[in-house]
Amino acid sequence: MGIQMNSTVKNTSPKFNLRELGTISFGQLEGEKDTKLNKDTFFPTETIKQLLCKHYNYVLSPKGVGKSAIFNALTNKFIPIFLFEYNKHSIVAINKAFGNDNEYLDPAKFKEEGRKNYSIYWGLYIMGELLKDIFKNHSDKNNFSEFKTKIKKFEGLKDKFQLYNILEIVNQLNIGFAFNISGQTVEIKPTLKYEVQTEKLSLNDIFQIINDFYKDNNLEALIVIDRIDSFVNKETMDIQKNYLQGLIDCIEEITFYKNLDPLLFLRTDLFYSFDIKFEYDKVKERKIELKWEESETLNFIVNRFLSNKYICDNFIGHFYNIMNEKGYNETVVSKNIFKRFSKWVKKVLNKRKSSKIKSKNIPYKISEEFIKMFFPCKLVFSNNQDFCEWIFEKFKDANGFINPRVLIFFFNKLFESQYSFIRQNKNYNEDVEVDLKKNSTSHFELFDEPIIEKTYNSASQEELINIYKLLKSKDQQILFQEINLKSFETGKFRTGDLNIKNLKIEREVLEILLTHLKLLGFCCEMEKQYFIIPSIYKNKLELIGGVI
């Protein structure tokens, strides 16, 4: 939904209809399914701007921090043209290979082979997707006829090849493939014997032909790969490791072709938890980790709140007024409220480049003031803590991340729970007058603190369950439950508190688990074998029937 209005109209409704709480939403939890994500609501953080302006091949973040949202924004052209030049790119989206069924990585078909074989599988699959892109979207471009002639003997592969069936294709067509990776040639040959000599094709030659086509047309093929993390989580550790290793080997080889630009979105813990072999010194310059500053988190909350028609239609004027009070003249930029705010935020932050400034910046204060119109200024149940400061303290994980997906879950459930409570309580009026206080921000009294507290506990429980699901073995899940029991009240534990002998679990499993939990942001090691737990995880894990 585009949010536009004449700057002379100031929508500043003095009432909030409580019935509308049931209509307010912050969007879906999964970025690829989030209907709230569009051109108006996509808010590029500083690390997202970095990603779009420079060449990176690996985008890392914890689960729910925005990888799939960026993928969705790129492929659906939600990103402003001043940040990303679509006319210079051809976007090749790869995420449909990773469904909930086992079609593409059925262990019965996709044997536990070495990493090099996996790299050929990936090379062929990406090659096929690039060929599809050219034949479908660029048949009117320069040199297409010449390209088609060069690629003729490979063209059929784009329709026949899937990620899991390479051996079937090799045997069916009596074709062998070679792929030079890091100076080593990897080959795959038919297992059936033919009277006619097997033809061997070089993937590197094919990639060169594809690269030259994009280059001749002043295009860069941006190969965006997403949903790897949810896909490989189903498989055994050996398959996961080889599968990711093969993909990274393939990406590293493709980066040598200047007009082919692979971009892999991957969970941070998967990137670091496997013993993946590549040269970190070379990769680190092409790797970026998504991060959110506090002002960006508040901007996200405001952005999602204003994306609701009732809020925008009735209260956008309050937002304008707050901006004007901070000395911003809204008429100097575009008509769209989000573009306007985004440009102004960028202008203000450019004037405050010093990282030593710790005080709240102006964009933070504008968002904070608008949020406090609808949510409590102070929370009595949390020692009269400021609402926004409560968000930053209670929702951060051990690595300092606030997961946008957790915020979406929390606010959606808060609107739903408060609305349900209001419907059951006949003493509540349908409309609430603005509570104007002298020398204080105007605000509506919409939410009951016990409901806020209960909703936060639900969000905490949801995050614990998410971590439990991400663990790779039953032994790790048992150990995680034990750690949770030892730490949910105190917020800390020592490895000596865990009696792994009674649990009949090897010490190595514990070490692997602790490494994984640190990467996931569940805990932080303050000193050797002593860990602390952030507030978001200080809750007793409740499993339905003991099983997820």
Side-chain angles (χ1 to χ4, degrees):
M1 179 190 69
I3 298 181
Q4 298 183 359
M5 65 173 287
N6 189 311
S7 62
T8 61
V9 178
K10 300 297 183 184
N11 292 13
T12 54
S13 175
K15 292 186 178 183
F16 190 107
N17 189 336
L18 289 174
R19 288 176 298 182
E20 296 294 336
L21 281 175
T23 69
I24 297 174
S25 169
F26 268 34
Q28 280 70 42
L29 297 180
E30 295 182 47
E32 61 269 20
K33 298 177 182 177
D34 189 0
T35 56
K36 287 286 182 181
L37 182 64
N38 54 48
K39 286 183 179 179
D40 293 333
T41 59
F42 178 72
F43 194 94
T45 63
E46 285 303 310
T47 51
I48 291 175
K49 291 175 186 175
Q50 244 184 293
L51 166 64
L52 296 171
C53 295
K54 297 181 180 180
H55 278 278
Y56 292 97
N57 297 118
Y58 304 97
V59 183
L60 310 181
S61 79
K63 185 180 177 70
V65 174
K67 299 184 300 297
S68 292
I70 300 172
F71 178 94
N72 193 3
L74 275 168
T75 54
N76 289 290
K77 299 188 176 180
F78 293 158
I79 296 171
I81 57 173
F82 67 87
L83 285 177
F84 186 79
E85 296 178 293
Y86 282 98
N87 62 327
K88 294 184 178 180
H89 293 83
S90 186
I91 295 178
V92 181
I94 296 179
N95 74 336
K96 293 181 181 178
F98 320 122
N100 292 323
D101 56 29
N102 284 325
E103 180 181 6
Y104 289 94
L105 197 56
D106 184 347
K109 296 178 179 178
F110 207 110
K111 305 299 182 183
E112 294 186 27
E113 299 164 353
R115 56 183 272 205
K116 298 299 181 183
N117 282 351
Y118 279 63
S119 63
I120 277 199
Y121 285 40
W122 268 112
L124 275 164
Y125 185 75
I126 291 173
M127 178 206 73
E129 295 301 300
L130 288 166
L131 289 175
K132 286 179 187 177
D133 176 59
I134 292 173
F135 277 83
K136 180 180 178 181
N137 301 315
H138 305 295
S139 60
D140 60 337
K141 297 291 194 302
N142 296 330
N143 302 329
F144 178 74
S145 297
E146 181 184 343
F147 169 79
K148 192 172 181 181
T149 301
K150 290 180 180 178
I151 213 78
K152 188 173 182 179
K153 60 183 176 182
F154 314 126
E155 182 184 347
L157 293 174
K158 75 180 191 302
D159 299 316
K160 293 183 178 181
F161 181 71
Q162 299 294 342
L163 198 56
Y164 65 87
N165 69 348
I166 185 171
L167 289 175
E168 296 171 22
I169 297 299
V170 164
N171 283 323
Q172 181 184 344
L173 301 180
N174 188 26
I175 292 176
F177 295 99
F179 196 16
N180 190 294
I181 301 169
S182 302
Q184 297 181 22
T185 300
V186 185
E187 296 184 0
I188 187 164
K189 302 175 183 178
T191 56
L192 302 178
K193 292 184 178 180
Y194 287 86
E195 292 182 4
V196 180
Q197 186 175 357
T198 299
E199 183 178 9
K200 186 169 72 175
L201 305 180
S202 166
L203 289 188
N204 301 83
D205 291 344
I206 304 174
F207 278 123
Q208 187 64 60
I209 295 170
I210 292 171
N211 178 82
D212 291 345
F213 175 82
Y214 285 114
K215 181 181 178 182
D216 290 343
N217 288 282
N218 298 314
L219 286 172
E220 187 174 292
L222 183 62
I223 308 159
V224 285
I225 306 168
D226 190 28
R227 292 188 67 196
I228 288 286
D229 45 3
S230 59
F231 184 58
V232 300
N233 196 53
K234 299 177 295 184
E235 309 303 337
T236 66
M237 196 172 228
D238 286 342
I239 289 183
Q240 287 183 37
K241 178 180 175 180
N242 282 335
Y243 188 72
L244 284 173
Q245 180 71 71
L247 174 55
I248 289 173
D249 285 340
C250 181
I251 287 173
E252 288 300 286
E253 189 61 31
I254 291 175
T255 57
F256 286 106
Y257 303 94
K258 291 186 178 180
N259 288 69
L260 304 181
D261 188 16
L263 184 63
L264 172 64
F265 294 89
L266 191 64
R267 272 200 345 251
T268 310
D269 61 292
L270 283 178
F271 187 81
Y272 290 113
S273 61
F274 292 111
D275 183 24
I276 295 175
K277 296 178 174 63
F278 55 87
E279 297 180 64
Y280 279 97
D281 287 344
K282 292 182 180 179
V283 167
K284 69 180 181 182
E285 299 298 325
R286 295 179 282 111
K287 167 182 67 70
I288 188 169
E289 299 193 34
L290 299 181
K291 296 180 180 179
W292 289 65
E293 300 296 332
E294 290 188 351
S295 59
E296 292 170 339
T297 299
L298 292 191
N299 293 343
F300 173 80
I301 295 172
V302 170
N303 200 325
R304 288 303 174 108
F305 202 47
L306 282 171
S307 71
N308 291 275
K309 188 176 187 303
Y310 175 74
I311 301 299
C312 182
D313 287 350
N314 290 276
F315 308 108
I316 192 71
H318 290 296
F319 186 71
Y320 283 138
N321 290 338
I322 294 169
M323 292 175 74
N324 286 332
E325 287 169 8
K326 303 300 180 186
Y328 171 58
N329 181 354
E330 72 204 44
T331 61
V332 298
V333 288
S334 67
K335 292 180 180 179
N336 182 286
I337 180 63
F338 295 121
K339 290 178 182 175
R340 188 179 316 154
F341 188 41
S342 177
K343 287 182 180 179
W344 180 73
V345 166
K346 183 179 179 182
K347 181 179 178 182
V348 172
L349 292 180
N350 283 341
K351 292 179 180 179
R352 295 172 171 242
K353 291 182 178 179
S354 173
S355 61
K356 295 180 180 179
I357 296 176
K358 297 294 184 182
S359 60
K360 299 175 184 176
N361 57 37
I362 294 176
Y364 181 109
K365 291 180 180 179
I366 290 175
S367 297
E368 179 185 45
E369 196 166 324
F370 185 70
I371 289 168
K372 286 181 179 178
M373 286 187 62
F374 305 94
F375 301 93
C377 293
K378 304 287 183 182
L379 294 172
V380 176
F381 74 84
S382 188
N383 298 318
N384 284 322
Q385 192 171 18
D386 174 273
F387 181 76
C388 293
E389 290 179 0
W390 176 79
I391 290 284
F392 294 127
E393 179 185 327
K394 299 299 182 180
F395 284 83
K396 276 183 180 176
D397 70 10
N399 296 324
F401 278 104
I402 292 183
N403 194 322
R405 186 179 296 186
V406 185
L407 293 178
I408 290 173
F409 177 91
F410 170 77
F411 282 105
N412 281 347
K413 192 165 186 65
L414 180 61
F415 300 138
E416 176 189 328
S417 300
Q418 187 67 51
Y419 178 65
S420 177
F421 178 79
I422 289 167
R423 289 185 63 189
Q424 296 170 19
N425 191 326
K426 295 180 181 180
N427 295 325
Y428 264 75
N429 296 320
E430 290 185 348
D431 298 316
V432 176
E433 297 285 349
V434 173
D435 184 9
L436 292 171
K437 294 184 179 181
K438 195 172 182 180
N439 298 323
S440 180
T441 303
S442 303
H443 69 276
F444 299 100
E445 293 182 356
L446 301 178
F447 299 98
D448 292 272
E449 288 202 24
I451 292 177
I452 294 175
E453 188 173 15
K454 185 178 179 181
T455 303
Y456 174 74
N457 287 333
S458 296
S460 172
Q461 188 66 215
E462 185 74 9
E463 283 303 281
L464 285 168
I465 290 172
N466 283 338
I467 286 187
Y468 180 88
K469 288 179 177 180
L470 290 174
L471 299 179
K472 298 182 177 71
S473 70
K474 191 64 181 176
D475 281 350
Q476 288 188 0
Q477 290 178 340
I478 291 169
L479 267 177
F480 179 65
Q481 288 177 276
E482 179 73 7
I483 290 172
N484 174 254
L485 284 173
K486 299 287 186 183
S487 64
F488 80 90
E489 289 182 331
T490 63
K492 56 188 178 182
F493 71 94
R494 294 183 181 275
T495 54
D497 299 336
L498 309 172
N499 197 329
I500 58 175
K501 286 186 178 179
N502 285 352
L503 296 172
K504 297 181 180 179
I505 293 174
E506 298 294 328
R507 180 80 185 182
E508 183 183 1
V509 176
L510 174 61
E511 296 298 331
I512 293 171
L513 174 64
L514 292 173
T515 298
H516 200 183
L517 291 179
K518 286 188 286 185
L519 289 169
L520 288 170
F522 172 78
C523 59
C524 176
E525 191 168 10
M526 297 302 292
E527 56 186 66
K528 192 173 182 180
Q529 299 186 342
Y530 174 66
F531 300 83
I532 59 171
I533 310 293
S535 296
I536 190 67
Y537 297 122
K538 289 166 69 173
N539 200 348
K540 185 178 180 182
L541 175 63
E542 301 288 347
L543 301 179
I544 301 172
V547 180
I548 295 295

